[in-house]
Amino acid sequence: MSTPQQLRYTKEHEWLSDVEDGVATVGITEFAANALGDVVYAQLPEVGETVTEGETCGELESTKSVSDLYSPVSGEVVEANQDVVDDPSLVNSAPFEGGWLFKVRISEEPKDVLSFDEYTALTAGN
């Protein structure tokens, strides 16, 4: 898995790995996981489902609230992380490792992603 400095980010607090063979991994940031609180339920997009950049594709429920999950890219879901469905707390304990959410075969490059430094500046002071 990429380190947080190598990932790309959205303003909605999702991260996107580098593309390998046309496929990227998607998760939520540590910042988002901390803001959500203890995640107790994860509804992820299903394999074969088409997701659209900026559109809702699932949800995460925590002890504090329910939060929509937005796709940072457009494409076809090729894998959903069953470990997160079985143990949603992985989103909190390992957001950049075992807590990833789904993998997507990208149909077009994302338009509105941030570098690590840009994302850090966005969340500074929050």
Side-chain angles (χ1 to χ4, degrees):
M1 184 62 63
S2 300
T3 65
Q5 292 80 10
Q6 297 171 313
L7 301 172
R8 294 178 286 171
Y9 299 86
T10 69
K11 292 177 182 173
E12 289 77 29
H13 309 289
E14 284 85 23
W15 59 260
L16 178 69
S17 73
D18 287 335
V19 178
E20 293 183 30
D21 297 325
V23 175
T25 303
V26 174
I28 68 164
T29 66
E30 186 173 18
F31 178 87
N34 289 338
L36 274 172
D38 295 333
V39 177
V40 296
Y41 174 76
Q43 177 197 357
L44 305 178
E46 296 182 19
V47 172
E49 185 177 333
T50 299
V51 293
T52 303
E53 182 177 352
E55 299 287 321
T56 303
C57 64
E59 68 180 30
L60 297 173
E61 183 178 329
S62 72
T63 54
K64 292 182 181 179
S65 66
V66 175
S67 180
D68 286 333
L69 174 63
Y70 296 93
S71 182
V73 293
S74 296
E76 180 183 346
V77 176
V78 296
E79 184 178 353
N81 189 348
Q82 187 61 44
D83 291 341
V84 165
V85 173
D86 295 340
D87 182 7
S89 70
L90 287 172
V91 171
N92 299 105
S93 64
F96 297 111
E97 293 90 27
W100 60 273
L101 301 176
F102 63 95
K103 295 183 180 185
V104 59
R105 183 167 308 284
I106 296 176
S107 61
E108 58 187 67
E109 279 300 308
K111 297 174 191 77
D112 194 22
V113 290
L114 307 171
S115 69
F116 176 77
D117 290 338
E118 291 168 327
Y119 182 74
T120 301
L122 175 74
T123 58
N126 289 324

